[in-house]
Amino acid sequence: FLQSGSKKPKHINVVTPIYPLEVIKSKKSQRLIIDTQFVDQLIETLHLALHKSQKDILIFLPGLSEINFVKKQLHDKFKNLEINILHGSMLIDEQKKILLESSSNSPTRRLILSTNIAESSLTIPSIDCVIDSALVKKSIAEVKIGFKKLEVSRISLFSAKQRAGRAARTGPGICFQLWHALDERSMPNSIQPEVLTSDLLEESITLLSLGIQNPDNFSWLDKPTTSFKQAIDKLQKWGLVNTEKGRLAQSTPLDIEKSFLFIELSLHGMQKAASTFLAFLETTNFEKLTEPIDLEQLK
């Protein structure tokens, strides 16, 4: 960086120690869904992890619904442990509380159930153990209905390395990987940046709200291959550019298209129906539907 009044950059070398990391793979094949069998395997692994580690344990799960399911199953099994959750839709202050509220001297050990938000962007000092499901939720287009949905899939080998490294950020650590070594044949080496397949609505509304009028000229690490014009035109048509409705859409824990739909239906007195409908969109595999669905019968 440049010091004030100096034209020459000053270089600073930051030396951090490399702590030992033990990685233990499962003898069972990876489960690709979070169900009771997955929880049984997780509980078995947790007992071993609690014995081999000394501090808090970070558990990677694909999404918030899976986190809530697992939390409910673990609550009665580990009553002496505090169970926290960490995901991207939480407010920054709530995320910071999870990061700071425990220390290595705390008498109560924590299980932190997290999405991939903790994969590389956050460091939790009290962690010395990671349990990795090797699953993530990715946004894909549902061709039959024209909406995007979140689908559970395997992470990449690069992401697996990143997750394991969370256990040894501040000291020696251990990572339990809930997949057999042979499962890695089906895991990609890396995953294509989401911005290259995005509809650019989220990116556009974020940059416009920051005063960047031409997102095409933004300094992208991986520049989108499509123009932002179509996305911006759609946002303007919906009345989401630099408006209160747009700010509300950004704060809603849904993609922009579903946020707009939820807001419009709510303004017309149909908030409950909108919540049910959007939950249905998120959890239904439309490729397997063979008969029409009566939306009035959704519960």
Side-chain angles (χ1 to χ4, degrees), residues 11-61:
H11 298 278
I12 297 179
N13 294 323
V14 179
V15 180
T16 57
I18 299 176
Y19 296 106
L21 173 66
E22 181 182 3
V23 177
I24 301 176
K25 285 183 171 59
S26 174
K27 296 181 180 179
K28 301 177 182 178
S29 296
Q30 180 190 14
R31 288 203 62 78
L32 299 178
I33 56 174
I34 306 299
D35 56 7
T36 54
Q37 291 185 54
F38 172 87
V39 174
D40 289 342
Q41 182 184 6
L42 176 60
I43 290 173
E44 181 181 334
T45 304
L46 261 174
H47 284 298
L48 181 59
L50 289 167
H51 175 72
K52 290 181 70 71
S53 65
Q54 302 296 321
K55 304 192 311 189
D56 296 341
I57 297 174
L58 175 63
I59 303 174
F60 281 103
L61 296 167

Side-chain angles (χ1 to χ4, degrees), residues 66-295:
E66 291 82 6
I67 284 176
N68 288 331
F69 173 75
V70 170
K71 181 180 180 181
K72 184 178 180 181
Q73 302 297 313
L74 296 182
H75 187 267
D76 291 335
K77 298 288 186 179
F78 299 93
K79 292 183 177 180
N80 60 325
L81 301 177
E82 180 181 346
I83 302 179
N84 296 152
I85 64 175
L86 186 61
H87 56 92
S89 62
M90 294 171 62
L91 297 175
I92 294 297
D93 288 343
E94 294 176 329
Q95 294 181 25
K96 288 181 178 179
K97 183 179 178 182
I98 299 299
L99 300 181
L100 300 175
E101 70 178 5
S102 181
S103 68
S104 59
N105 296 322
S106 174
T108 303
R109 295 179 70 181
R110 293 187 300 164
L111 305 179
I112 301 176
L113 313 182
S114 177
T115 59
N116 62 349
I117 186 176
E119 184 175 302
S120 60
S121 59
L122 300 175
T123 295
I124 307 175
S126 62
I127 291 295
D128 71 344
C129 180
V130 164
I131 299 178
D132 186 6
S133 68
L135 297 175
V136 67
K137 275 190 172 178
K138 296 175 59 179
S139 179
I140 63 167
E142 187 65 75
V143 178
K144 283 191 175 182
I145 59 172
F147 282 101
K148 292 187 296 184
K149 67 173 292 186
L150 294 174
E151 182 176 84
V152 176
S153 63
R154 283 187 167 108
I155 62 173
S156 66
L157 294 173
F158 175 81
S159 292
K161 186 176 181 179
Q162 287 286 101
R163 291 183 177 191
R166 299 298 97 188
R169 293 286 287 176
T170 60
I174 183 170
C175 176
F176 293 87
Q177 297 178 330
L178 299 182
W179 66 88
H180 194 278
L182 293 177
D183 288 317
E184 294 188 350
R185 297 179 180 179
S186 301
M187 296 169 67
N189 289 322
S190 61
I191 291 180
Q192 184 183 39
E194 288 187 19
V195 72
L196 299 183
T197 57
S198 171
D199 58 16
L200 302 181
L201 289 171
E202 187 78 42
E203 293 83 356
S204 295
I205 196 172
T206 299
L207 292 175
L208 291 172
S209 68
L210 295 173
I212 298 172
Q213 298 302 316
N214 191 348
D216 282 304
N217 293 334
F218 187 71
S219 179
W220 297 95
L221 290 175
D222 295 282
K223 187 175 178 60
T225 55
T226 57
S227 172
F228 281 83
K229 184 180 185 306
Q230 184 177 356
I232 293 174
D233 288 346
K234 187 177 288 188
L235 292 172
Q236 290 175 334
K237 181 181 179 180
W238 292 344
L240 299 181
V241 177
N242 296 323
T243 63
E244 185 60 35
K245 186 185 292 186
R247 286 185 281 274
L248 183 59
Q250 285 182 274
S251 64
T252 304
L254 297 165
D255 63 63
I256 294 299
E257 202 164 30
K258 290 197 185 79
S259 295
F260 172 69
L261 178 60
F262 177 75
I263 291 168
E264 288 296 307
L265 290 174
S266 298
L267 290 174
H268 287 81
M270 295 182 285
Q271 186 179 61
K272 184 176 180 180
S275 300
T276 302
F277 175 61
L278 291 172
F280 172 73
L281 292 181
E282 288 287 334
T283 57
T284 302
N285 185 345
F286 290 90
E287 295 298 325
K288 294 184 178 181
L289 286 183
T290 57
E291 298 180 0
I293 297 294
D294 186 349
L295 296 180

